[in-house]
Amino acid sequence: MAKPRSYKLLCPIARGLDRIGDRWTLLILRDLHAGPARFTDLQRGLTGIAANLLTERLAKLVEDGIIRKTSGPHATTLYELTDLGHKTQNLIFEIAMFGAQFPPENDIVDPGNLRTVAVTLGAAARRVSAEGLSVSASLIVDGEEMELMAGDGTASVAYRPASEPDVVLQTSYAALMALSEGEISEEVFVQDHCRIDVKVPGRERDLFSLFSLILAVFRES
Amino acid sequence: MAKPRSYKLLCPIARGLDRIGDRWTLLILRDLHAGPARFTDLQRGLTGIAANLLTERLAKLVEDGIIRKTSGPHATTLYELTDLGHKTQNLIFEIAMFGAQFPPENDIVDPGNLRTVAVTLGAAARRVSAEGLSVSASLIVDGEEMELMAGDGTASVAYRPASEPDVVLQTSYAALMALSEGEISEEVFVQDHCRIDVKVPGRERDLFSLFSLILAVFRES
DNA sequence: CGGGATCCGTTACGATACTG
DNA sequence: CAGTATCGTAACGGATCCCG
């Protein structure tokens, strides 16, 4: 496989970049933070990464002990983070906080799935102090289901259908990004860009509060 | 300058990587966290980055508002972080924490200066709870002077000669890395790999305590 | 000597096509 | 679904040259 480029420096930053600094690598890890994924899940989430590159990156990540291959249902292969891989959590969050300060390109290409959304929201949710909030919500973005939860002072987002949600909130990726960019207010978002189905009356207020807190995480960057 | 490669994704992580994800870019920022630097300071600290690449990276970082050019003494040009650039602090620290877990390559090339050391130590020092410690030390690594301070519960490292140090500690880059890798103990480090000159008796104990705390930051990764 | 610009061989990437 | 193979293009790396 020919040895890849390396900085060959003793510096821990350079050593880290030698493992995760290649193009696409951090985005692959980003998607895996949403949970185990198949080759094609990753390929779709990364919008057009060449198959050979994805193969190469995955092989190197496995070799470095950052991810591993496992067997999923129907004899499929799944990739998942190892303990070492999970330690990129904060790192990826910090990149997201930094990157959120820059405007997007003019010609955006849409991802084939929304693992990115679950991961970004999840990273922010983990920083939120959700004291006094209690809600289990199903967040459906462009048809993809995520679970948003708050309780015991902490909040989290998972990339999977919610079980017994108090509130079901449907929206679009575009609206969600417009909200987080500050292009639309929370009021406009709720009024014009959401379909909300309250299963347990009153809990929608906790959901809105949680949304505000998550947004605040990005603003404070 | 031909538009550079971009992920063209809306994801904040991808947007961040579009600015700082290119090869060398994060290492350039790393060195600038030690303070303003000239073109050649950076070139030396990065051990063999091609001049055209450094030029290109610096231009893009300036364009994105992450660094700026200023005038130094003798009509020299200096590069320094903007406010936006300073926000990469945590990001770089997280990479260092992650990277410290991997072994170095077999054939290491030595950097031309030790900005990397000041930045890495400084990032760790900032996380330390230095309650009860008070010391101002001159840390001289392979002849390069840094200032290590603790007081008011916080600690810091600066890439500049110390003014009125309580303790002067001379050591080598190799010994320092062996210590942080756990290859030698703190006792062996102090005994065999340091020359210590105590100006204010007793303060050397605070310095050793501070060293222990900084090392602990890396171990907990 | 500091701060680049230019040139050119090598390597990595990106797109498409193809296979078990 | 999960990759491999091929190939044109873009980026990198090293060296040389230029200018104040």
Side-chain angles (χ1 to χ4, degrees):
Chain A
M1 186 173 63
K3 52 191 160 192
R5 234 166 234 171
S6 161
Y7 291 113
K8 302 192 175 182
L9 299 175
L10 209 43
C11 170
I13 298 162
R15 297 218 302 278
L17 291 175
D18 277 341
R19 324 293 161 161
I20 56 168
D22 283 342
R23 190 165 168 74
W24 294 111
T25 300
L26 273 164
L27 294 180
I28 293 169
L29 293 178
R30 174 200 72 183
D31 278 12
L32 288 177
H33 273 286
R38 293 171 301 179
F39 188 92
T40 33
D41 292 334
L42 295 170
Q43 200 171 18
R44 269 198 272 276
L46 299 177
T47 64
I49 181 178
N52 55 353
L53 280 192
L54 183 52
T55 300
E56 213 172 277
R57 297 291 185 269
L58 288 171
K60 189 173 176 230
L61 286 169
V62 168
E63 195 184 317
D64 286 334
I66 296 170
I67 69 174
R68 78 168 74 85
K69 293 172 81 153
T70 64
S71 298
H74 312 299
T76 57
T77 309
L78 289 179
Y79 293 91
E80 65 180 13
L81 297 174
T82 61
D83 288 349
L84 187 52
H86 278 291
K87 292 184 183 170
T88 56
Q89 181 94 55
N90 291 337
L91 169 39
I92 286 176
F93 173 74
E94 291 295 339
I95 297 175
M97 293 289 281
F98 182 69
Q101 302 176 308
F102 297 95
E105 300 286 312
N106 296 326
D107 48 343
I108 290 297
V109 20
D110 280 328
N113 63 52
L114 298 184
R115 289 177 164 261
T116 165
V117 172
V119 172
T120 306
L121 288 181
R126 211 166 301 107
R127 320 269 156 159
V128 159
S129 168
E131 221 58 63
L133 298 183
S134 174
V135 66
S136 163
S138 172
L139 177 64
I140 307 181
V141 184
D142 288 339
E144 284 189 62
E145 296 186 49
M146 310 173 196
E147 187 176 28
L148 215 161
M149 285 177 298
D152 298 329
T154 69
S156 66
V157 177
Y159 184 67
R160 65 170 176 240
S163 57
E164 304 186 42
D166 305 330
V167 189
V168 177
L169 190 157
Q170 292 193 52
T171 185
S172 69
Y173 184 33
L176 210 50
M177 292 308 293
L179 175 63
S180 78
E181 300 297 320
E183 289 170 19
I184 61 175
S185 67
E186 293 181 51
E187 288 71 29
V188 170
F189 174 71
V190 170
Q191 293 265 328
D192 299 350
H193 300 280
C194 288
R195 234 190 58 140
I196 299 173
D197 187 358
V198 179
K199 308 285 189 186
V200 179
R203 287 291 165 79
E204 75 276 12
R205 273 197 299 272
D206 280 26
L207 176 58
F208 296 154
S209 299
L210 180 54
F211 249 93
S212 295
L213 290 171
I214 289 178
L215 282 177
V217 171
F218 280 96
R219 282 204 230 298
E220 86 190 14
S221 69
Chain B
M1 185 171 60
K3 53 192 161 190
R5 234 167 235 172
S6 160
Y7 290 113
K8 301 192 176 181
L9 299 174
L10 211 42
C11 170
I13 298 162
R15 297 217 302 278
L17 291 174
D18 277 341
R19 326 292 161 162
I20 57 169
D22 283 343
R23 190 166 167 76
W24 295 112
T25 300
L26 273 164
L27 293 180
I28 293 169
L29 293 178
R30 174 200 71 182
D31 278 13
L32 288 177
H33 273 286
R38 294 171 301 178
F39 187 92
T40 32
D41 294 334
L42 295 170
Q43 200 171 18
R44 269 198 272 275
L46 300 177
T47 64
I49 181 177
N52 56 350
L53 281 191
L54 182 51
T55 300
E56 211 173 280
R57 297 290 185 267
L58 289 171
K60 188 172 176 232
L61 285 168
V62 168
E63 195 183 316
D64 286 335
I66 296 170
I67 67 174
R68 78 168 74 84
K69 294 172 79 154
T70 63
S71 298
H74 312 302
T76 58
T77 308
L78 289 179
Y79 294 89
E80 66 179 12
L81 297 174
T82 60
D83 288 349
L84 188 52
H86 278 291
K87 292 183 183 170
T88 57
Q89 181 93 55
N90 291 337
L91 170 39
I92 286 177
F93 173 75
E94 291 296 339
I95 297 175
M97 293 289 282
F98 182 70
Q101 301 176 308
F102 298 95
E105 300 285 313
N106 296 327
D107 49 343
I108 290 294
V109 18
D110 280 328
N113 62 53
L114 297 183
R115 289 178 164 260
T116 166
V117 173
V119 172
T120 306
L121 288 181
R126 208 165 304 106
R127 319 268 154 159
V128 160
S129 169
E131 220 59 60
L133 298 183
S134 175
V135 64
S136 164
S138 172
L139 177 65
I140 307 181
V141 185
D142 288 341
E144 282 187 63
E145 295 187 50
M146 308 171 198
E147 186 175 30
L148 215 161
M149 286 177 298
D152 298 328
T154 68
S156 66
V157 178
Y159 184 69
R160 63 166 177 243
S163 56
E164 304 184 42
D166 304 330
V167 188
V168 177
L169 190 157
Q170 292 192 53
T171 185
S172 69
Y173 184 32
L176 211 48
M177 291 310 292
L179 174 63
S180 79
E181 301 296 321
E183 289 170 20
I184 61 174
S185 67
E186 292 181 52
E187 288 71 28
V188 170
F189 173 73
V190 170
Q191 294 264 328
D192 300 350
H193 301 280
C194 288
R195 233 191 56 141
I196 297 173
D197 188 358
V198 179
K199 308 285 190 185
V200 178
R203 284 296 164 79
E204 75 277 12
R205 273 197 299 271
D206 281 24
L207 176 58
F208 296 154
S209 300
L210 179 54
F211 250 92
S212 295
L213 290 171
I214 288 178
L215 281 177
V217 170
F218 280 96
R219 281 204 230 299
E220 85 190 16
S221 69

